[in-house]
Amino acid sequence: MDEKWLKRVIEIQSLAQCGLAYCKDDYDLERYRRLREIAAEMMSDASGLPVEKVQDLFCNESGYQTPKLDTRAAVFREGKILLVRENNGRWSLPGGWVDVLESIASNTVKEVQEEAGVTVRPQRLIAVQDRNQHNRPPYAYGVCKVFVLCDYIEGRFKQNIETTATAYFDLDHLPPLAEEKCNRAQVEMCFAAAADPNWSVLFD
């Protein structure tokens, strides 16, 4: 789907979701439900996924719609950055969705421990980015990606269901990246932040 159309479909779904949460009139509620169905049908036509599947993924929340949070940890040892190998064979900065009851710092620590087996200490923020402005393919919902510079404490890789290996890489020898999660520009940004004690947090 063209990105302009995708944004329109996302907005239709968001408005419908908000209307269903706050509207009291039965007739308007029926109209908002139909708007949500139309958004799902449009997304289904563009993606090739069954409408039911799209509704599960795209129309599964209630209340005012806000972006999801994703944390990514930048962990360095001897001038190299820690990456984890995803199940698809590509590599990314360790991280993931911020869970309920977790802060940015605690979620970053949790994700690095789960995916890399490493204990870290969050040191400072590198950037807060709108995912769809930086990563491809675009998602059908908003995501704020928070990059956190961390100090390595201890640990080693442990077998888990999310990643298959870890390794440290210098900037000139990066492996194929899972670009929907982090791309080369974002890894370069992490190297720059680690080298600059006066780094100013970037944000969109």
Side-chain angles (χ1 to χ4, degrees):
M1 183 182 289
D2 177 87
E3 281 196 50
K4 288 184 179 179
W5 279 100
L6 177 61
K7 288 180 180 179
R8 290 169 182 154
V9 173
I10 291 171
E11 185 173 4
I12 291 170
Q13 198 291 130
S14 177
L15 290 170
Q17 179 175 311
C18 189
L20 288 170
Y22 298 109
C23 184
K24 303 300 182 185
D25 183 84
D26 288 340
Y27 293 102
D28 283 339
L29 287 170
E30 184 176 347
R31 294 183 184 102
Y32 283 125
R33 278 192 288 270
R34 181 58 190 140
L35 278 174
R36 201 172 210 192
E37 289 173 358
I38 291 170
E41 290 165 4
M42 292 172 69
M43 190 67 75
S44 174
D45 289 342
S47 66
L49 292 172
V51 173
E52 296 77 13
K53 182 68 173 177
V54 172
Q55 288 173 333
D56 287 342
L57 296 172
F58 184 49
C59 307
N60 63 346
E61 297 183 6
S62 60
Y64 192 85
Q65 190 158 19
T66 59
K68 296 179 180 293
L69 285 175
D70 171 71
T71 58
R72 295 286 150 181
V75 184
F76 289 87
R77 295 189 74 187
E78 299 177 356
K80 296 182 178 182
I81 196 167
L82 173 66
L83 297 179
V84 295
R85 188 170 63 197
E86 305 284 339
N87 288 318
N88 64 6
R90 294 186 175 270
W91 297 74
S92 72
L93 297 168
W97 298 126
V98 177
D99 290 333
V100 174
L101 303 180
E102 297 287 354
S103 67
I104 294 297
S106 67
N107 198 77
T108 304
V109 171
K110 178 180 71 69
E111 289 290 336
V112 179
Q113 183 64 53
E114 290 176 354
E115 294 188 357
V118 170
T119 301
V120 297
R121 180 185 300 109
Q123 185 186 73
R124 50 193 167 98
L125 287 181
I126 297 171
V128 180
Q129 294 184 337
D130 178 344
R131 184 207 170 276
N132 281 353
Q133 291 191 38
H134 298 271
N135 299 87
R136 291 292 178 268
Y139 282 177
Y141 46 84
V143 179
C144 287
K145 296 181 71 67
V146 185
F147 294 83
V148 183
L149 186 64
C150 298
D151 292 328
Y152 171 90
I153 298 177
E154 62 180 0
R156 61 181 182 178
F157 180 72
K158 299 174 184 177
Q159 186 174 357
N160 64 86
I161 62 173
E162 296 185 79
T163 59
T164 60
T166 63
Y168 289 84
F169 297 89
D170 60 44
L171 197 52
D172 293 329
H173 299 92
L174 294 179
L177 296 173
E179 297 205 350
E180 73 279 5
K181 296 184 177 180
C182 71
N183 56 36
R184 182 179 179 86
Q186 290 165 330
V187 175
E188 289 176 346
M189 174 183 69
C190 293
F191 270 91
D196 183 357
N198 299 312
W199 177 265
S200 293
V201 178
L202 304 178
F203 60 94
D204 294 325

